[in-house]
Amino acid sequence: MTLVAGVDSSTQSCKVLIVDAASGRVVREGRAAHPDGTAVPPEAWWRALAEAIDAAGGLADVDAIAIGGQQHGMVALDADGRVIRDALLWNDTRSAAAAAALTDELGAAEYARRTGSVPVASFTATKLRWLRDAEPENAARVAAVALPHDWLTWRLRGYGPTGESPLGPVLDELVTDRSDASGTAYFDTARGEYDLELAQLALGRPARAADPSREADPARAAAQPDPTAASAHPTSADSVRFAGIQLPRVLGPAEFRVVDAPIPAIRTLRPGTRVGAGAGDNAAAALGLDARPGDVVVSIGTSGTVFAVSETPVADPSGAVAGFADAAGAFLPLVATLNAARVLDAVARLLGVDHGQLAELALAAAPGAGGVVLQPYFEGERTPNLPDATASLFGLTLASTTRENLARAAVEGMLCGLADGLDAVTRLGVPAASIRLIGGAARSRAVGAVAAQVFGLPVVIPEPGEYVARGAAVQATWVLTGERPSWPLDTWAELAADPRPEVRAQYAAHAVRTA
């Protein structure tokens, strides 16, 4: 049996799956917690990765590994490979003003044309601009900028701070993939390369991509770099000043590096083990779900995301759709909403019921909830961009104010917000043939049934699983065999399309009134 490992280094925790490369069957798994907060020391991720690997029984029998991780976070490194400050995560909003400043300087349409997206506070470029303005002394020390999964991949291969890693701070050994690079706001998604002018616009200093003469080569699996060859990999402050800030090399879906030295923190990891480029979490989840063009993934967690696989790049100057790349060589336009499963949490608390009872109440009401509409902006909203909005109820009459209608309005309102996101994606020419519904709320009977009505498309609800880690394992198998595997997907429920356009029309009427 050939085994691979897939890692999900998310905001909350690190999950490791050891998977049979032939069937996709999970052989064993492990997990470790990450600290809370929106600014986190990356060393905590490294410790959690080692702990989760140990909990999964180690990697001694694993031939390839890849890491999926939270997108956008800023890991700033100095010339000695040390982390300069706690990493700012995707959900750290202190860079909101920096996002607005960058957009004003270049223009939203130009950003969309050059990167596929318009900067928001989650994107790496905005965090670099914040660093430049708020912490200029730290900004002056930056020699390289990595994303969370880039940094973990680098450490896993034996690189890292001077004196704390076997091979030291070889900054041009940093690698990433298209999907995560496309969330920086300085990567041209359509062309598949960095826009160095935009990186410089963010931090105010020149940036450089990796030396193209050192492209990924499978033969490197048999060769290890000489960590003493300092002249080949300059790391002094002077060399950084003149060479520019190092950005990770962008690898393709089947390209890989190898573990170049034994790592004391992970004693079971063998040198020579293949290491995939990794991926951003949504792109890894798409791989784990085996999503193909025409498939739409709707993830309902604390926040909501809608993303679809597209064969062509998209650019949305309105900023509603982020024109990301995927982890398989295509594209992954994405819309995010702030209010998803917690809408159901709030209404369940109001009605004094658990989630199962909330679903029963919702299913007891007719589509349209008797005219009751919940616009679920409990914590403001990102799509549409209404950060100061609050939730509103419309259509209450003596007859319509029932527990059943309130429960149904909560489910419909949450899903209508996500369906508006899908509309924004399809208006850009992206096909949508079916919905794959995942996340904590996906197994609610009411959510599945109403989704088939609101989206008007067939809905597939996979069995609960670690789809980001599974997607990383798909990539690890790909770099091992040279072919993308297509593992069977266990399905919890399938629902036929049951379009009820009156639900969307009712929601839209009130949304226009408050826009």
Side-chain angles (χ1 to χ4, degrees):
M1 181 187 301
T2 300
L3 298 181
V4 298
V7 178
D8 173 13
S9 182
S10 72
T11 313
Q12 293 84 15
S13 64
C14 180
K15 284 83 69 177
V16 175
L17 300 184
I18 310 300
V19 176
D20 175 10
S23 67
R25 179 177 65 88
V26 176
V27 175
R28 57 186 193 268
E29 57 189 291
R31 173 187 300 259
H34 284 163
D36 293 332
T38 64
V40 171
E43 193 64 28
W45 305 332
W46 180 238
R47 291 193 299 268
L49 176 60
E51 183 181 338
I53 287 171
D54 284 346
L59 301 174
D61 52 354
V62 166
D63 292 321
I65 185 171
I67 300 174
Q70 54 180 301
Q71 288 186 266
H72 308 303
M74 179 192 72
V75 182
L77 303 176
D78 68 13
D80 291 322
R82 300 187 187 283
V83 175
I84 292 171
R85 68 165 338 275
D86 285 355
L88 299 186
L89 307 190
W90 64 273
N91 53 355
D92 192 299
T93 59
R94 72 185 74 183
S95 58
L102 286 170
T103 303
D104 288 345
E105 288 169 22
L106 190 69
E110 183 68 2
Y111 254 114
R113 185 185 71 81
R114 292 170 67 166
T115 70
S117 304
V118 177
V120 293
S122 58
F123 286 16
T124 316
T126 72
K127 300 178 188 308
L128 289 172
R129 170 57 69 88
W130 176 88
L131 187 71
R132 187 200 78 174
D133 295 341
E135 299 179 356
E137 291 184 0
N138 281 337
R141 295 172 55 203
V142 176
V145 178
L147 298 160
H149 98 260
D150 308 342
W151 184 82
L152 285 170
T153 299
W154 189 59
R155 295 297 307 273
L156 193 71
R157 295 177 50 226
Y159 302 97
T162 301
E164 297 178 22
S165 55
L167 297 176
V170 186
L171 297 179
D172 66 357
E173 286 291 345
L174 285 162
V175 298
T176 191
D177 84 303
R178 295 168 63 253
S179 72
D180 226 2
S182 66
T184 61
Y186 47 79
F187 181 78
D188 185 330
T189 304
R191 293 169 58 88
E193 60 187 35
Y194 289 113
D195 188 322
L196 298 179
E197 290 182 0
L198 295 185
Q200 181 170 351
L201 183 66
L203 193 56
R205 291 170 49 203
R208 65 185 176 100
D211 180 359
S213 68
R214 291 173 51 82
E215 286 301 324
D217 179 0
R220 291 188 73 252
Q224 297 182 15
D226 178 3
T228 66
S231 61
H233 306 291
T235 59
S236 71
D238 285 342
S239 69
V240 167
R241 186 177 302 116
F242 291 108
I245 296 166
Q246 179 74 57
L247 303 179
R249 182 192 315 275
V250 181
L251 300 184
E255 291 182 302
F256 63 89
R257 289 294 189 255
V258 298
V259 176
D260 285 322
I263 303 168
I266 307 175
R267 298 183 185 278
T268 57
L269 182 62
R270 295 175 285 119
T273 300
R274 295 188 180 192
V275 183
D281 50 6
N282 290 305
L287 268 186
L289 292 163
D290 199 27
R292 308 282 177 152
D295 292 331
V296 177
V297 179
V298 176
S299 178
I300 307 177
T302 302
S303 58
T305 54
V306 179
F307 49 94
V309 179
S310 171
E311 294 180 310
T312 56
V314 304
D316 180 11
S318 78
V321 179
F324 295 152
D326 79 350
F331 303 90
L332 200 73
L334 179 146
V335 170
T337 66
L338 293 180
N339 297 279
R342 55 186 172 179
V343 174
L344 307 185
D345 295 339
V347 175
R349 286 195 304 270
L350 177 66
L351 297 177
V353 298
D354 62 25
H355 282 277
Q357 292 167 325
L358 183 75
E360 294 303 317
L361 286 170
L363 291 173
V372 177
V373 173
L374 173 63
Q375 192 175 77
Y377 302 156
F378 286 94
E379 296 290 340
E381 189 47 82
R382 172 175 168 179
T383 308
N385 185 22
L386 299 170
D388 300 319
T390 56
S392 301
L393 268 172
F394 303 94
L396 293 178
T397 67
L398 292 176
S400 67
T401 306
T402 67
R403 290 161 57 82
E404 292 79 5
N405 283 337
L406 286 173
R408 177 122 195 161
V411 178
E412 290 182 345
M414 177 190 72
L415 289 170
C416 282
L418 291 164
D420 285 350
L422 179 57
D423 286 350
V425 171
T426 57
R427 279 196 294 269
L428 298 173
V430 179
S434 65
I435 302 291
R436 299 192 180 201
L437 193 62
I438 62 172
R443 292 191 70 179
S444 162
R445 290 180 57 241
V447 168
V450 176
Q453 297 173 346
V454 168
F455 289 103
L457 295 170
V459 174
V460 175
I461 306 175
E463 286 286 356
E466 299 292 349
Y467 287 104
V468 174
R470 176 182 161 106
V474 167
Q475 187 187 80
T477 302
W478 198 342
V479 304
L480 197 61
T481 66
E483 296 182 358
R484 176 182 177 177
S486 185
W487 296 329
L489 188 66
D490 293 331
T491 299
W492 182 72
E494 294 187 48
L495 300 102
D498 182 20
R500 302 298 179 97
E502 67 273 17
V503 176
R504 295 286 310 280
Q506 182 175 269
Y507 181 85
H510 293 289
V512 169
R513 185 181 303 169
T514 58

